[in-house]
Amino acid sequence: MNKRLKVEAIKQDIGKIIGNTCFVCGCTKSKKGMTVHHLWYIFDDVIYKNYPQTVDGKIKYYTELLKKVEEMPKRFMFLCNVHHQALERLNRYKKETLTKLLEALALTKTK
């Protein structure tokens, strides 16, 4: 099996455990791919940036992440990459700022 396909197969295995659809939009496949979001981290956790950004590094990351997901699936969420990136951006704001931004969005009239 091709290494990139192996990464996708491991992600699919993870998806089967935590709900094979994007939590936000419900898609099961995305042009930009699917990924796993940590709802919270624990000491000595499996973190993407700690692995080499190579196909072999991704295989190792997702293999080790699969074990963590099996141990505690409620700690993770399956997302398409577009919504994962949006969530990570929103996560940069303080809760008060995010609340005010959402309030401003609700008050904004669209065309």
Side-chain angles (χ1 to χ4, degrees):
M1 176 185 288
N2 168 321
K3 288 182 179 182
R4 291 185 195 279
L5 291 176
K6 185 169 182 162
V7 170
E8 291 307 313
I10 298 167
K11 284 185 190 181
Q12 288 174 2
D13 290 343
I14 292 171
K16 289 174 188 171
I17 297 168
I18 58 175
N20 219 13
T21 61
C22 174
F23 179 82
V24 177
C25 67
C27 73
T28 55
K29 287 187 176 184
S30 170
K31 285 183 184 179
K32 301 209 181 244
M34 304 296 284
T35 196
V36 181
H37 174 70
H38 289 74
L39 294 173
W40 68 88
Y41 290 93
I42 58 174
F43 176 74
D44 202 27
D45 212 347
V46 175
I47 301 172
Y48 186 75
K49 70 179 180 180
N50 294 341
Y51 291 81
Q53 300 305 302
T54 62
V55 177
D56 288 331
K58 288 179 182 182
I59 290 171
K60 186 172 181 178
Y61 168 73
Y62 282 108
T63 300
E64 292 181 16
L65 184 62
L66 175 58
K67 294 173 193 170
K68 296 288 186 181
V69 170
E70 289 171 336
E71 289 171 14
M72 194 181 291
K74 293 190 184 304
R75 223 168 43 87
F76 302 93
M77 180 183 288
F78 205 55
L79 295 169
C80 66
N81 278 326
V82 170
H83 288 125
H84 185 252
Q85 189 169 17
L87 182 58
E88 288 297 321
R89 286 182 180 154
L90 289 171
N91 203 27
R92 294 177 190 162
Y93 292 103
K94 293 179 184 175
K95 298 295 180 198
E96 302 81 29
T97 304
L98 184 57
T99 300
K100 290 303 254 181
L101 282 169
L102 292 173
E103 183 181 347
L105 178 64
L107 294 170
T108 301
K109 292 184 169 93
T110 58
K111 295 180 183 180

